[in-house]
PDB file of all heavy atoms in Angstrom:
ATOM      1  N   HIS L 226     -47.312 -12.610 -41.134  1.00 98.00           N
ATOM      2  CA  HIS L 226     -47.329 -11.380 -41.913  1.00 98.00           C
ATOM      3  C   HIS L 226     -47.394 -10.162 -40.974  1.00 98.00           C
ATOM      4  O   HIS L 226     -47.563 -10.298 -39.768  1.00 98.00           O
ATOM      5  CB  HIS L 226     -48.536 -11.375 -42.848  1.00 98.00           C
ATOM      6  CG  HIS L 226     -48.759 -12.667 -43.566  1.00 98.00           C
ATOM      7  ND1 HIS L 226     -47.935 -13.111 -44.587  1.00 98.00           N
ATOM      8  CD2 HIS L 226     -49.700 -13.633 -43.403  1.00 98.00           C
ATOM      9  CE1 HIS L 226     -48.373 -14.274 -45.038  1.00 98.00           C
ATOM     10  NE2 HIS L 226     -49.437 -14.615 -44.326  1.00 98.00           N
ATOM     11  N   ASP L 227     -47.279  -8.973 -41.563  1.00 97.00           N
ATOM     12  CA  ASP L 227     -47.386  -7.719 -40.798  1.00 97.00           C
ATOM     13  C   ASP L 227     -46.409  -7.711 -39.625  1.00 97.00           C
ATOM     14  O   ASP L 227     -46.766  -7.426 -38.482  1.00 97.00           O
ATOM     15  CB  ASP L 227     -48.815  -7.513 -40.293  1.00 97.00           C
ATOM     16  CG  ASP L 227     -49.825  -7.394 -41.427  1.00 97.00           C
ATOM     17  OD1 ASP L 227     -49.594  -6.576 -42.340  1.00 97.00           O
ATOM     18  OD2 ASP L 227     -50.844  -8.108 -41.394  1.00 97.00           O
ATOM     19  N   GLY L 228     -45.141  -8.033 -39.928  1.00 97.00           N
ATOM     20  CA  GLY L 228     -44.154  -8.245 -38.878  1.00 97.00           C
ATOM     21  C   GLY L 228     -43.956  -7.081 -37.939  1.00 97.00           C
ATOM     22  O   GLY L 228     -43.612  -7.275 -36.765  1.00 97.00           O
ATOM     23  N   GLN L 229     -44.186  -5.835 -38.386  1.00 97.00           N
ATOM     24  CA  GLN L 229     -43.975  -4.695 -37.498  1.00 97.00           C
ATOM     25  C   GLN L 229     -45.008  -4.622 -36.382  1.00 97.00           C
ATOM     26  O   GLN L 229     -44.830  -3.869 -35.415  1.00 97.00           O
ATOM     27  CB  GLN L 229     -43.957  -3.382 -38.284  1.00 97.00           C
ATOM     28  CG  GLN L 229     -45.233  -3.052 -39.048  1.00 97.00           C
ATOM     29  CD  GLN L 229     -45.171  -3.486 -40.489  1.00 97.00           C
ATOM     30  OE1 GLN L 229     -45.032  -4.676 -40.778  1.00 97.00           O
ATOM     31  NE2 GLN L 229     -45.262  -2.536 -41.412  1.00 97.00           N
ATOM     32  N   ASN L 230     -46.078  -5.424 -36.486  1.00 97.00           N
ATOM     33  CA  ASN L 230     -47.127  -5.396 -35.463  1.00 97.00           C
ATOM     34  C   ASN L 230     -46.947  -6.458 -34.381  1.00 97.00           C
ATOM     35  O   ASN L 230     -47.769  -6.547 -33.470  1.00 97.00           O
ATOM     36  CB  ASN L 230     -48.496  -5.600 -36.113  1.00 97.00           C
ATOM     37  CG  ASN L 230     -48.887  -4.456 -37.023  1.00 97.00           C
ATOM     38  OD1 ASN L 230     -48.404  -3.335 -36.869  1.00 97.00           O
ATOM     39  ND2 ASN L 230     -49.753  -4.735 -37.980  1.00 97.00           N
ATOM     40  N   LEU L 231     -45.909  -7.262 -34.446  1.00 97.00           N
ATOM     41  CA  LEU L 231     -45.822  -8.444 -33.593  1.00 97.00           C
ATOM     42  C   LEU L 231     -45.257  -8.169 -32.202  1.00 97.00           C
ATOM     43  O   LEU L 231     -45.716  -8.755 -31.217  1.00 97.00           O
ATOM     44  CB  LEU L 231     -44.974  -9.517 -34.279  1.00 97.00           C
ATOM     45  CG  LEU L 231     -45.488 -10.010 -35.630  1.00 97.00           C
ATOM     46  CD1 LEU L 231     -44.510 -10.991 -36.244  1.00 97.00           C
ATOM     47  CD2 LEU L 231     -46.870 -10.631 -35.484  1.00 97.00           C
ATOM     48  N   PHE L 232     -44.258  -7.286 -32.094  1.00 97.00           N
ATOM     49  CA  PHE L 232     -43.502  -7.171 -30.843  1.00 97.00           C
ATOM     50  C   PHE L 232     -43.406  -5.749 -30.278  1.00 97.00           C
ATOM     51  O   PHE L 232     -43.543  -5.560 -29.075  1.00 97.00           O
ATOM     52  CB  PHE L 232     -42.063  -7.674 -31.058  1.00 97.00           C
ATOM     53  CG  PHE L 232     -41.958  -9.029 -31.674  1.00 97.00           C
ATOM     54  CD1 PHE L 232     -41.534  -9.183 -32.984  1.00 97.00           C
ATOM     55  CD2 PHE L 232     -42.272 -10.170 -30.938  1.00 97.00           C
ATOM     56  CE1 PHE L 232     -41.423 -10.440 -33.549  1.00 97.00           C
ATOM     57  CE2 PHE L 232     -42.166 -11.425 -31.505  1.00 97.00           C
ATOM     58  CZ  PHE L 232     -41.741 -11.567 -32.812  1.00 97.00           C
ATOM     59  N   ASP L 233     -43.121  -4.788 -31.122  1.00 96.00           N
ATOM     60  CA  ASP L 233     -42.689  -3.456 -30.677  1.00 96.00           C
ATOM     61  C   ASP L 233     -43.821  -2.446 -30.815  1.00 96.00           C
ATOM     62  O   ASP L 233     -44.232  -2.127 -31.938  1.00 96.00           O
ATOM     63  CB  ASP L 233     -41.480  -3.015 -31.510  1.00 96.00           C
ATOM     64  CG  ASP L 233     -40.866  -1.717 -31.019  1.00 96.00           C
ATOM     65  OD1 ASP L 233     -41.450  -1.067 -30.139  1.00 96.00           O
ATOM     66  OD2 ASP L 233     -39.778  -1.360 -31.524  1.00 96.00           O
ATOM     67  N   PRO L 234     -44.334  -1.902 -29.703  1.00 95.00           N
ATOM     68  CA  PRO L 234     -45.423  -0.919 -29.799  1.00 95.00           C
ATOM     69  C   PRO L 234     -45.017   0.346 -30.540  1.00 95.00           C
ATOM     70  O   PRO L 234     -45.876   1.060 -31.063  1.00 95.00           O
ATOM     71  CB  PRO L 234     -45.779  -0.637 -28.335  1.00 95.00           C
ATOM     72  CG  PRO L 234     -44.618  -1.103 -27.542  1.00 95.00           C
ATOM     73  CD  PRO L 234     -44.000  -2.216 -28.310  1.00 95.00           C
ATOM     74  N   ASN L 235     -43.722   0.642 -30.605  1.00 95.00           N
ATOM     75  CA  ASN L 235     -43.269   1.821 -31.334  1.00 95.00           C
ATOM     76  C   ASN L 235     -43.369   1.631 -32.842  1.00 95.00           C
ATOM     77  O   ASN L 235     -43.381   2.610 -33.595  1.00 95.00           O
ATOM     78  CB  ASN L 235     -41.821   2.154 -30.959  1.00 95.00           C
ATOM     79  CG  ASN L 235     -41.678   2.559 -29.515  1.00 95.00           C
ATOM     80  OD1 ASN L 235     -42.446   3.375 -29.016  1.00 95.00           O
ATOM     81  ND2 ASN L 235     -40.713   1.975 -28.818  1.00 95.00           N
ATOM     82  N   ALA L 236     -43.429   0.390 -33.283  1.00 95.00           N
ATOM     83  CA  ALA L 236     -43.533   0.095 -34.711  1.00 95.00           C
ATOM     84  C   ALA L 236     -44.932  -0.354 -35.110  1.00 95.00           C
ATOM     85  O   ALA L 236     -45.297  -0.268 -36.285  1.00 95.00           O
ATOM     86  CB  ALA L 236     -42.521  -0.981 -35.098  1.00 95.00           C
ATOM     87  N   ALA L 237     -45.717  -0.841 -34.153  1.00 93.00           N
ATOM     88  CA  ALA L 237     -47.002  -1.468 -34.460  1.00 93.00           C
ATOM     89  C   ALA L 237     -48.066  -0.433 -34.827  1.00 93.00           C
ATOM     90  O   ALA L 237     -48.054   0.710 -34.370  1.00 93.00           O
ATOM     91  CB  ALA L 237     -47.476  -2.285 -33.259  1.00 93.00           C
ATOM     92  N   PHE L 238     -49.016  -0.873 -35.631  1.00 90.00           N
ATOM     93  CA  PHE L 238     -50.148  -0.037 -36.021  1.00 90.00           C
ATOM     94  C   PHE L 238     -50.940   0.369 -34.781  1.00 90.00           C
ATOM     95  O   PHE L 238     -51.389  -0.482 -34.006  1.00 90.00           O
ATOM     96  CB  PHE L 238     -51.056  -0.817 -36.987  1.00 90.00           C
ATOM     97  CG  PHE L 238     -52.271  -0.061 -37.424  1.00 90.00           C
ATOM     98  CD1 PHE L 238     -52.166   0.953 -38.353  1.00 90.00           C
ATOM     99  CD2 PHE L 238     -53.523  -0.365 -36.899  1.00 90.00           C
ATOM    100  CE1 PHE L 238     -53.293   1.660 -38.765  1.00 90.00           C
ATOM    101  CE2 PHE L 238     -54.660   0.329 -37.301  1.00 90.00           C
ATOM    102  CZ  PHE L 238     -54.538   1.357 -38.239  1.00 90.00           C
ATOM    103  N   GLY L 239     -51.070   1.661 -34.564  1.00 91.00           N
ATOM    104  CA  GLY L 239     -51.805   2.162 -33.407  1.00 91.00           C
ATOM    105  C   GLY L 239     -51.134   1.868 -32.078  1.00 91.00           C
ATOM    106  O   GLY L 239     -51.747   2.043 -31.024  1.00 91.00           O
ATOM    107  N   GLY L 240     -49.881   1.421 -32.113  1.00 93.00           N
ATOM    108  CA  GLY L 240     -49.173   1.116 -30.877  1.00 93.00           C
ATOM    109  C   GLY L 240     -49.592  -0.183 -30.216  1.00 93.00           C
ATOM    110  O   GLY L 240     -49.115  -0.509 -29.126  1.00 93.00           O
ATOM    111  N   GLN L 241     -50.463  -0.947 -30.890  1.00 93.00           N
ATOM    112  CA  GLN L 241     -50.978  -2.194 -30.305  1.00 93.00           C
ATOM    113  C   GLN L 241     -50.317  -3.388 -30.972  1.00 93.00           C
ATOM    114  O   GLN L 241     -50.495  -3.617 -32.169  1.00 93.00           O
ATOM    115  CB  GLN L 241     -52.491  -2.287 -30.490  1.00 93.00           C
ATOM    116  CG  GLN L 241     -53.110  -3.591 -30.004  1.00 93.00           C
ATOM    117  CD  GLN L 241     -52.920  -3.810 -28.522  1.00 93.00           C
ATOM    118  OE1 GLN L 241     -53.200  -2.913 -27.722  1.00 93.00           O
ATOM    119  NE2 GLN L 241     -52.468  -4.990 -28.132  1.00 93.00           N
ATOM    120  N   THR L 242     -49.531  -4.165 -30.217  1.00 96.00           N
ATOM    121  CA  THR L 242     -48.860  -5.333 -30.790  1.00 96.00           C
ATOM    122  C   THR L 242     -49.683  -6.601 -30.568  1.00 96.00           C
ATOM    123  O   THR L 242     -50.644  -6.623 -29.801  1.00 96.00           O
ATOM    124  CB  THR L 242     -47.473  -5.544 -30.166  1.00 96.00           C
ATOM    125  OG1 THR L 242     -47.610  -6.149 -28.874  1.00 96.00           O
ATOM    126  CG2 THR L 242     -46.712  -4.237 -30.052  1.00 96.00           C
ATOM    127  N   TRP L 243     -49.215  -7.664 -31.213  1.00 96.00           N
ATOM    128  CA  TRP L 243     -49.812  -8.989 -31.035  1.00 96.00           C
ATOM    129  C   TRP L 243     -49.307  -9.679 -29.761  1.00 96.00           C
ATOM    130  O   TRP L 243     -49.763 -10.768 -29.447  1.00 96.00           O
ATOM    131  CB  TRP L 243     -49.459  -9.867 -32.228  1.00 96.00           C
ATOM    132  CG  TRP L 243     -50.238  -9.601 -33.473  1.00 96.00           C
ATOM    133  CD1 TRP L 243     -50.342  -8.406 -34.139  1.00 96.00           C
ATOM    134  CD2 TRP L 243     -50.998 -10.537 -34.215  1.00 96.00           C
ATOM    135  NE1 TRP L 243     -51.113  -8.572 -35.262  1.00 96.00           N
ATOM    136  CE2 TRP L 243     -51.530  -9.870 -35.332  1.00 96.00           C
ATOM    137  CE3 TRP L 243     -51.261 -11.890 -34.063  1.00 96.00           C
ATOM    138  CZ2 TRP L 243     -52.326 -10.499 -36.285  1.00 96.00           C
ATOM    139  CZ3 TRP L 243     -52.056 -12.537 -35.008  1.00 96.00           C
ATOM    140  CH2 TRP L 243     -52.586 -11.838 -36.095  1.00 96.00           C
ATOM    141  N   LYS L 244     -48.336  -9.073 -29.088  1.00 97.00           N
ATOM    142  CA  LYS L 244     -47.721  -9.675 -27.894  1.00 97.00           C
ATOM    143  C   LYS L 244     -47.261 -11.102 -28.195  1.00 97.00           C
ATOM    144  O   LYS L 244     -47.429 -12.031 -27.401  1.00 97.00           O
ATOM    145  CB  LYS L 244     -48.701  -9.657 -26.720  1.00 97.00           C
ATOM    146  CG  LYS L 244     -49.174  -8.251 -26.358  1.00 97.00           C
ATOM    147  CD  LYS L 244     -50.168  -8.249 -25.200  1.00 97.00           C
ATOM    148  CE  LYS L 244     -50.619  -6.829 -24.884  1.00 97.00           C
ATOM    149  NZ  LYS L 244     -51.623  -6.796 -23.796  1.00 97.00           N
ATOM    150  N   ALA L 245     -46.642 -11.234 -29.372  1.00 97.00           N
ATOM    151  CA  ALA L 245     -46.267 -12.566 -29.851  1.00 97.00           C
ATOM    152  C   ALA L 245     -45.203 -13.211 -28.984  1.00 97.00           C
ATOM    153  O   ALA L 245     -45.237 -14.423 -28.742  1.00 97.00           O
ATOM    154  CB  ALA L 245     -45.797 -12.467 -31.300  1.00 97.00           C
ATOM    155  N   ALA L 246     -44.223 -12.421 -28.519  1.00 97.00           N
ATOM    156  CA  ALA L 246     -43.181 -12.996 -27.672  1.00 97.00           C
ATOM    157  C   ALA L 246     -43.766 -13.505 -26.364  1.00 97.00           C
ATOM    158  O   ALA L 246     -43.376 -14.568 -25.864  1.00 97.00           O
ATOM    159  CB  ALA L 246     -42.088 -11.963 -27.407  1.00 97.00           C
ATOM    160  N   ASP L 247     -44.701 -12.752 -25.780  1.00 96.00           N
ATOM    161  CA  ASP L 247     -45.336 -13.197 -24.540  1.00 96.00           C
ATOM    162  C   ASP L 247     -46.072 -14.511 -24.755  1.00 96.00           C
ATOM    163  O   ASP L 247     -46.011 -15.426 -23.920  1.00 96.00           O
ATOM    164  CB  ASP L 247     -46.328 -12.138 -24.034  1.00 96.00           C
ATOM    165  CG  ASP L 247     -45.636 -10.870 -23.554  1.00 96.00           C
ATOM    166  OD1 ASP L 247     -44.426 -10.922 -23.270  1.00 96.00           O
ATOM    167  OD2 ASP L 247     -46.314  -9.829 -23.466  1.00 96.00           O
ATOM    168  N   ALA L 248     -46.793 -14.619 -25.884  1.00 96.00           N
ATOM    169  CA  ALA L 248     -47.547 -15.845 -26.158  1.00 96.00           C
ATOM    170  C   ALA L 248     -46.621 -17.048 -26.251  1.00 96.00           C
ATOM    171  O   ALA L 248     -46.899 -18.111 -25.680  1.00 96.00           O
ATOM    172  CB  ALA L 248     -48.349 -15.683 -27.450  1.00 96.00           C
ATOM    173  N   LEU L 249     -45.494 -16.885 -26.962  1.00 97.00           N
ATOM    174  CA  LEU L 249     -44.586 -18.013 -27.143  1.00 97.00           C
ATOM    175  C   LEU L 249     -43.790 -18.314 -25.873  1.00 97.00           C
ATOM    176  O   LEU L 249     -43.585 -19.481 -25.523  1.00 97.00           O
ATOM    177  CB  LEU L 249     -43.651 -17.731 -28.309  1.00 97.00           C
ATOM    178  CG  LEU L 249     -44.326 -17.715 -29.683  1.00 97.00           C
ATOM    179  CD1 LEU L 249     -43.367 -17.223 -30.758  1.00 97.00           C
ATOM    180  CD2 LEU L 249     -44.868 -19.086 -30.053  1.00 97.00           C
ATOM    181  N   ASP L 250     -43.346 -17.276 -25.167  1.00 96.00           N
ATOM    182  CA  ASP L 250     -42.627 -17.498 -23.904  1.00 96.00           C
ATOM    183  C   ASP L 250     -43.512 -18.215 -22.899  1.00 96.00           C
ATOM    184  O   ASP L 250     -43.104 -19.212 -22.278  1.00 96.00           O
ATOM    185  CB  ASP L 250     -42.164 -16.166 -23.305  1.00 96.00           C
ATOM    186  CG  ASP L 250     -40.990 -15.555 -24.034  1.00 96.00           C
ATOM    187  OD1 ASP L 250     -40.350 -16.254 -24.833  1.00 96.00           O
ATOM    188  OD2 ASP L 250     -40.718 -14.359 -23.814  1.00 96.00           O
ATOM    189  N   ASN L 251     -44.731 -17.696 -22.716  1.00 95.00           N
ATOM    190  CA  ASN L 251     -45.637 -18.294 -21.725  1.00 95.00           C
ATOM    191  C   ASN L 251     -46.039 -19.702 -22.122  1.00 95.00           C
ATOM    192  O   ASN L 251     -46.166 -20.594 -21.271  1.00 95.00           O
ATOM    193  CB  ASN L 251     -46.883 -17.416 -21.557  1.00 95.00           C
ATOM    194  CG  ASN L 251     -46.572 -16.057 -20.957  1.00 95.00           C
ATOM    195  OD1 ASN L 251     -45.549 -15.889 -20.280  1.00 95.00           O
ATOM    196  ND2 ASN L 251     -47.421 -15.091 -21.202  1.00 95.00           N
ATOM    197  N   GLY L 252     -46.239 -19.935 -23.411  1.00 95.00           N
ATOM    198  CA  GLY L 252     -46.612 -21.268 -23.866  1.00 95.00           C
ATOM    199  C   GLY L 252     -45.507 -22.281 -23.673  1.00 95.00           C
ATOM    200  O   GLY L 252     -45.766 -23.447 -23.352  1.00 95.00           O
ATOM    201  N   ALA L 253     -44.250 -21.852 -23.863  1.00 94.00           N
ATOM    202  CA  ALA L 253     -43.128 -22.764 -23.657  1.00 94.00           C
ATOM    203  C   ALA L 253     -42.896 -23.045 -22.190  1.00 94.00           C
ATOM    204  O   ALA L 253     -42.424 -24.122 -21.814  1.00 94.00           O
ATOM    205  CB  ALA L 253     -41.861 -22.184 -24.287  1.00 94.00           C
ATOM    206  N   GLU L 254     -43.248 -22.098 -21.335  1.00 94.00           N
ATOM    207  CA  GLU L 254     -42.928 -22.198 -19.912  1.00 94.00           C
ATOM    208  C   GLU L 254     -43.992 -22.943 -19.111  1.00 94.00           C
ATOM    209  O   GLU L 254     -43.710 -23.491 -18.043  1.00 94.00           O
ATOM    210  CB  GLU L 254     -42.747 -20.781 -19.345  1.00 94.00           C
ATOM    211  CG  GLU L 254     -42.235 -20.701 -17.925  1.00 94.00           C
ATOM    212  CD  GLU L 254     -40.773 -21.097 -17.808  1.00 94.00           C
ATOM    213  OE1 GLU L 254     -40.116 -21.321 -18.853  1.00 94.00           O
ATOM    214  OE2 GLU L 254     -40.295 -21.199 -16.667  1.00 94.00           O
TER     215      GLU L 254
END
């Protein structure tokens, strides 16, 4: 949920994202 908060600081609430791509990239690697 709250998809605008997952990746892009320009779209995220308060400019703070979940850094979801980093979590998944690092976990796969």
Side-chain angles (χ1 to χ4, degrees):
H226 315 288
D227 298 309
Q229 61 265 62
N230 294 336
L231 300 176
F232 308 108
D233 186 352
N235 295 313
F238 179 75
Q241 176 62 50
T242 78
W243 283 57
K244 302 179 180 178
D247 292 341
L249 291 171
D250 286 346
N251 294 337
E254 188 71 6

